[in-house]
Amino acid sequence: MRKLFLLSFITLNFCAASAQSTGYWQQQVDYKMDVNMNVKNYQYKGKQELVYTNNSNDTLKKVFYHLFPNAFQPGSEMDARIQKIIDPDARMVNKMKVDGKDVKESRIKTLKPNEIGYLRISNFKQDGVDATAKEVGTILEVTLAKPILPNSKSTFTLNFDGQVPVQIRRSGRNNVEGVELSMSQWYPKMAEFDFEGWHADPYIAREFHGVWGNFDVNITIDKGYTLGGSGYLQNQNEIGHGYQDAGVTVTTPKKMKTLTWHFIAPMVHDFAWAADKNYMHDVVKGPNNVDLHFLYKNNPKTVENWKKLEPLMVNVMDFYNKKIGNYPYKQYSFIQGGDGGMEYAMCTLMLGNGTLEGILGTATHELGHSWFQHILASNESKHPWMDEGFTTYVEDWALNELGTKKVENPFQGNYNAYYKLVESGKEQPQTTHGDRYDENRPYSISSYVKGSLFLSQLNYVIGKDKLAETIKRYFHDFKFKHPTPNDIKRTAERVSGANLDWYLVDWAETTNTIDYGIKDVKENKDQTLVTLERIGRMPMPIDLTVEYTDGSTESFYIPLRMMSFEKENPNPAIKRTVLKDWTWAHPKYEFAISKPRTSIKKIAIDPSGLMADVKSANNTYEIK
């Protein structure tokens, strides 16, 4: 196992080094942590040593850490958000009747002292010298003893005392499915500092951003617990619990009350784990010799579903490797724990008591995050659509391609959800910070759905093959580099040759909508004149098909002038005519069909349904 760690370490750090050789820089953090968990009161103590490498041109006088558990306290920002927002997350509230009215009460508001979460820091030192560390909600603000100069390192040491909250959201104890410990966002985590500055966002239950580095973690816990999580277990033949090498029998002396699990996780930006006394643990070989771990409750009602899930996830990982790029680590763990599903480095914590179809969908989605959140790792707080949306896209793509019943457009449900959001009038631009949405539902649709449509609609804009090539090149060029929205746009431009600035601006930075219509169809001698109109603000190239009464079909393509691009014919079996381009400033466009109106049965804009036209009723003209 140690050999696997070294191989991954060398490979991943080569990627980071090559990224920086092209002018890109990023900070690095190397953690060493020793943690002791008391399973009787769910409190833990730890020591952390962090070597911080400042690769920027800035001199740093302060650093910031995240203290996520502090969110689970009455009066916290997360508590306030739950109480204020009109559609709070159902997992985070208690529903009750007050004077005959339905009331939703924040679960955090009612937590008792032994149920809250906290992370308290003491004995903070920089290179052995005391530094000033101040807790500000879920952030630790550190005034350094001495500035960290560009291209230099500094070592921070601290002690921490934590309490695992009753599970409300993601991290916690004793969740609804009986999993005892879901340990995510549990340690003092260095905030990201990049070309935009510090990203020390308070924790309000949204997404994350982190610094890549290497984790060396020792977790001491009651010997009856089985653990799963990030990294590679280094002492598997001392621990057992299904991790030991083939043929090895592990016997723990009765006098030993605890075991210390030693994990190493190279080049990741987070470390999570879960533990339970009743976990079953299976290991399955995945593509490229990756170990896939499955840890789930020994529940007779659900064991069969988890067993059936295992070969399916081998296929899903293989699909992602082929369509996006190779998964660079040597293990991944699917762990029953948490609420819903949430991605972490080399693992996911997910609910596991549902149907096979349900846990397959969750596992497929969360595994997809490994590529977009844990290898590409865009700033998910500022641009949640880049991670959640792109992951939703590949999830729907994979489930359709690997399923027994394939549909022509597996993304149709996403289009329908987006249309409903537009109709509601509650849409906000995707430039909105994840914490700043007025309501949860518009956030979810903007991030998961409209983010997915960015890619499925790009299929319509530049073509299926160019989109597939764009996804692969985006992953290859920007893995371990924290890409921004401009990077996916520029990748698509490099692959296709099209100008796409308009696409990124209108789709992601505004709430402009697409709405085209067939305004008029009239006969002119032996020809038919067709007038189209652009009603929405967002422009698009136009694919249009004409079905004739003799059963034949013809297609027309109208390039968008600002693209300076002509898409390849998506259906070479059908004759296509490329017309003159359409400018944004002209709301109407006219062209001629060289057949009389009486020979036409139907005219349709975008028969593929991949253009997100919010009012498709006027996209079709039928002669009856």
Side-chain angles (χ1 to χ4, degrees):
M1 189 63 80
R2 188 174 297 276
K3 188 179 293 184
L4 291 179
F5 157 66
L6 291 173
L7 175 63
S8 298
F9 179 85
I10 293 168
T11 302
L12 297 175
N13 276 278
F14 173 78
C15 294
S18 63
Q20 295 191 22
S21 68
T22 61
Y24 171 85
W25 64 267
Q26 66 183 27
Q27 309 294 62
Q28 171 144 344
V29 289
D30 294 308
Y31 292 87
K32 289 184 178 180
M33 291 189 284
D34 293 290
V35 184
N36 195 307
M37 172 63 71
N38 185 331
V39 295
K40 294 180 179 179
N41 59 12
Y42 300 105
Q43 293 177 359
Y44 56 100
K45 294 181 177 293
K47 295 181 179 180
Q48 182 188 94
E49 175 185 291
L50 188 154
V51 178
Y52 188 88
T53 303
N54 179 18
N55 292 312
S56 76
N57 292 322
D58 289 78
T59 296
L60 303 180
K61 298 179 180 180
K62 284 186 176 183
V63 297
F64 298 85
Y65 287 73
H66 295 283
L67 306 177
F68 295 113
N70 291 350
F72 300 99
Q73 300 175 13
S76 69
E77 284 194 71
M78 187 184 288
D79 183 27
R81 179 67 166 166
I82 297 169
Q83 295 185 49
K84 181 180 179 182
I85 199 164
I86 66 171
D87 62 337
D89 188 322
R91 295 164 290 192
M92 303 176 76
V93 295
N94 293 315
K95 297 180 181 179
M96 60 188 69
K97 290 276 188 181
V98 177
D99 297 329
K101 296 181 179 179
D102 291 326
V103 174
K104 297 176 182 178
E105 181 182 62
S106 166
R107 291 178 60 201
I108 295 178
K109 179 183 176 181
T110 61
L111 289 178
K112 300 173 183 177
N114 66 336
E115 297 175 331
I116 66 170
Y118 62 71
L119 197 55
R120 297 166 182 162
I121 308 303
S122 60
N123 198 30
F124 193 103
K125 296 182 184 294
Q126 178 193 6
D127 296 323
V129 179
D130 289 340
T132 303
K134 179 175 65 172
E135 289 185 24
V136 184
T138 58
I139 298 297
L140 184 73
E141 182 179 320
V142 181
T143 302
L144 299 174
K146 63 178 180 179
I148 307 176
L149 299 178
N151 301 309
S152 65
K153 297 182 179 181
S154 195
T155 300
F156 306 132
T157 56
L158 58 85
N159 297 338
F160 59 92
D161 289 273
Q163 179 169 285
V164 186
V166 169
Q167 181 121 27
I168 292 175
R169 189 72 175 97
R170 293 177 177 156
S171 183
R173 58 181 171 89
N174 303 315
N175 75 352
V176 294
E177 292 189 347
V179 176
E180 198 158 348
L181 288 167
S182 295
M183 299 298 292
S184 57
Q185 297 95 52
W186 58 276
Y187 62 94
K189 180 179 178 180
M190 179 63 68
E192 177 68 279
F193 178 84
D194 60 18
F195 71 101
E196 295 178 315
W198 283 103
H199 298 281
D201 295 309
Y203 184 35
I204 309 179
R206 288 288 188 230
E207 309 298 355
F208 313 98
H209 195 35
V211 193
W212 271 295
N214 303 303
F215 286 73
D216 187 333
V217 182
N218 288 296
I219 302 169
T220 300
I221 191 170
D222 184 284
K223 67 180 181 181
Y225 285 73
T226 300
L227 271 63
S230 305
Y232 308 119
L233 183 61
Q234 298 297 290
N235 56 339
Q236 66 271 23
N237 290 336
E238 299 171 17
I239 294 294
H241 287 271
Y243 287 94
Q244 66 270 26
D245 294 333
V248 174
T249 300
V250 179
T251 303
T252 304
K254 290 184 178 180
K255 65 179 181 179
M256 287 182 60
K257 301 299 182 184
T258 63
L259 289 174
T260 297
W261 299 62
H262 182 199
F263 292 96
I264 287 180
M267 196 59 177
V268 295
H269 58 78
D270 198 10
F271 187 98
W273 57 283
D276 196 89
K277 294 187 294 293
N278 196 33
Y279 270 152
M280 296 185 72
H281 178 207
D282 300 332
V283 184
V284 176
K285 279 295 180 184
N288 301 330
N289 208 36
V290 173
D291 287 329
L292 299 182
H293 296 264
F294 295 82
L295 296 103
Y296 51 94
K297 297 282 285 187
N298 187 5
N299 181 345
K301 296 181 180 179
T302 58
V303 165
E304 184 179 359
N305 283 341
W306 277 86
K307 296 288 187 183
K308 290 179 178 179
L309 179 69
E310 293 168 4
L312 298 177
M313 296 317 299
V314 172
N315 294 337
V316 172
M317 177 171 274
D318 184 58
F319 181 88
Y320 287 159
N321 283 344
K322 291 175 179 176
K323 300 300 184 181
I324 309 171
N326 283 329
Y327 178 76
Y329 307 105
K330 287 301 178 183
Q331 82 90 6
Y332 188 88
S333 298
F334 298 92
I335 308 168
Q336 184 175 4
D339 61 331
M342 183 61 194
E343 71 278 2
Y344 301 101
M346 299 193 207
C347 68
T348 179
L349 304 186
M350 52 181 278
L351 292 180
N353 284 355
T355 63
L356 175 60
E357 182 181 16
I359 63 174
L360 172 61
T362 301
T364 301
H365 182 87
E366 302 309 332
L367 178 61
H369 277 297
S370 285
W371 280 260
F372 292 105
Q373 174 57 12
H374 286 283
I375 300 171
L376 286 163
S378 51
N379 186 336
E380 202 178 5
S381 294
K382 289 187 66 175
H383 314 295
W385 63 274
M386 293 186 69
D387 171 49
E388 292 294 357
F390 294 2
T391 299
T392 298
Y393 176 84
V394 297
E395 171 200 356
D396 292 340
W397 188 16
L399 290 175
N400 188 60
E401 289 295 314
L402 300 176
T404 55
K405 295 182 180 179
K406 296 180 177 60
V407 297
E408 187 172 347
N409 184 2
F411 315 107
Q412 188 59 57
N414 296 331
Y415 284 86
N416 295 340
Y418 165 67
Y419 298 149
K420 288 182 180 179
L421 174 63
V422 172
E423 290 173 6
S424 74
K426 295 180 178 181
E427 184 185 8
Q428 294 176 243
Q430 289 182 308
T431 51
T432 306
H433 189 284
D435 291 333
R436 313 286 195 274
Y437 280 81
D438 293 336
E439 299 178 23
N440 279 319
R441 183 164 178 75
Y443 159 79
S444 295
I445 296 175
S446 177
S447 301
Y448 292 75
V449 171
K450 194 177 179 185
S452 172
L453 298 188
F454 181 92
L455 292 182
S456 61
Q457 187 169 243
L458 201 56
N459 181 341
Y460 172 83
V461 174
I462 63 175
K464 182 179 181 180
D465 291 343
K466 291 290 189 290
L467 171 61
E469 188 180 345
T470 293
I471 292 172
K472 285 186 174 181
R473 183 164 176 180
Y474 174 60
F475 179 77
H476 177 271
D477 289 354
F478 292 100
K479 56 187 176 183
F480 304 108
K481 291 186 182 180
H482 295 306
T484 67
N486 190 64
D487 293 321
I488 180 63
K489 185 263 292 185
R490 288 291 293 125
T491 301
E493 289 182 329
R494 293 184 183 105
V495 167
S496 67
N499 294 332
L500 296 170
D501 194 58
W502 62 275
Y503 184 66
L504 177 64
V505 169
D506 275 69
W507 190 254
E509 299 178 13
T510 75
T511 55
N512 292 347
T513 57
I514 302 164
D515 184 11
Y516 281 87
I518 301 172
K519 186 173 180 60
D520 192 27
V521 178
K522 60 184 179 182
E523 191 149 356
N524 181 23
K525 297 182 180 180
D526 58 346
Q527 292 184 327
T528 301
L529 296 180
V530 179
T531 302
L532 309 178
E533 62 179 339
R534 177 184 55 77
I535 304 164
R537 290 193 185 96
M538 183 169 176
M540 290 290 281
I542 298 298
D543 286 335
L544 181 143
T545 59
V546 180
E547 296 179 21
Y548 297 106
T549 55
D550 63 4
S552 63
T553 301
E554 184 178 9
S555 72
F556 296 85
Y557 175 66
I558 306 173
L560 178 64
R561 178 171 294 182
M562 63 178 70
M563 279 185 69
S564 301
F565 173 78
E566 181 181 314
K567 180 177 68 175
E568 294 180 1
N569 186 357
N571 190 349
I574 298 177
K575 175 190 173 184
R576 185 182 76 160
T577 300
V578 179
L579 302 172
K580 66 177 181 179
D581 55 21
W582 190 349
T583 65
W584 181 86
H586 291 90
K588 294 182 181 179
Y589 183 97
E590 186 178 83
F591 72 99
I593 299 173
S594 59
K595 290 187 179 182
R597 186 174 180 274
T598 54
S599 67
I600 297 173
K601 179 181 178 182
K602 181 179 178 181
I603 302 173
I605 295 173
D606 178 31
S608 72
L610 293 173
M611 181 175 73
D613 190 309
V614 296
K615 295 180 181 178
S616 59
N618 58 1
N619 287 11
T620 304
Y621 183 92
E622 293 190 66
I623 298 176
K624 299 180 180 180

